[in-house]
Amino acid sequence: AALGSGLAMAGLAVVAFTPSKTLVFLGMGLLPVFVWLPPRWVPLDAARPAHAFAGGLLSTALALTAGVSGPLSELFLVRSALNRHEVIGTKAAFQVFAHLAKLIFYGGALLGAAGGGDAAGPALILLAVLAAVAGSAVGRRLLDHLPEARFRRWRRWIFTAIGAGFLIQGLRLLAGA
């Protein structure tokens, strides 16, 4: 995942690509369709090194161009042989690399804005850190008590519901265009 993330940053440093908000929402909204197709049609599995590389590459590229990548990285995890703890850890790794890539890729602009009114204040940053720590603690307890089969079943439906939200937003933007 880390190698893929680095390659995505290098590629996007050379190529300027900014998808429209409508395209991002429609694309993210259609991603869950893949989890309902037969596994042999979409055999993505983050447990396989080549797939983890591709997941890191694509998730980071999407995070850098569109700002979000969670639903795309989910495609590499939803059918993997990883247990629920490994899935959450791998998802977290994808997201960490994507966020680090944003900091590295856009860091100069962020540092330039630090003196202006656009930067987040120290209190907001501290609140975000505390929320992340609290969320991790609560999430771990919930995950420990959730049976593996239920985790797998609910993930597909949650992924589909999130995708439906993106799709509805994309269709609204398309209708207004």
Side-chain angles (χ1 to χ4, degrees):
L3 292 174
S5 183
L7 184 60
M9 282 192 299
L12 289 171
V14 178
V15 178
F17 174 69
T18 306
S20 70
K21 192 174 185 178
T22 304
L23 181 63
V24 170
F25 282 151
L26 290 174
M28 291 293 208
L30 292 172
L31 284 175
V33 168
F34 291 107
V35 303
W36 299 102
L37 295 174
R40 68 181 185 282
W41 291 9
V42 187
L44 300 175
D45 184 354
R48 298 173 63 188
H51 292 204
F53 172 83
L57 174 81
L58 295 173
S59 293
T60 300
L62 190 59
L64 290 174
T65 58
V68 294
S69 64
L72 179 63
S73 64
E74 188 65 24
L75 280 180
F76 290 87
L77 296 164
V78 76
R79 290 193 184 133
S80 73
L82 302 172
N83 68 41
R84 64 191 186 280
H85 291 94
E86 293 168 329
V87 165
I88 296 301
T90 304
K91 176 83 169 180
F94 278 151
Q95 295 305 303
V96 164
F97 291 128
H99 289 306
L100 284 174
K102 285 191 237 181
L103 285 172
I104 293 167
F105 200 78
Y106 298 113
L110 290 174
L111 290 175
D118 291 342
L124 183 59
I125 293 170
L126 179 61
L127 182 63
V129 169
L130 292 174
V133 170
S136 294
V138 170
R140 167 115 185 169
R141 286 181 178 231
L142 291 173
L143 191 61
D144 286 343
H145 290 81
L146 185 65
E148 194 72 37
R150 188 176 301 160
F151 173 78
R152 291 186 179 283
R153 184 174 54 249
W154 277 99
R155 278 183 58 231
R156 289 177 72 171
W157 285 107
I158 290 168
F159 182 40
T160 301
I162 291 169
F166 275 113
L167 188 59
I168 289 166
Q169 288 294 95
L171 292 172
R172 283 183 180 162
L173 289 171
L174 193 62

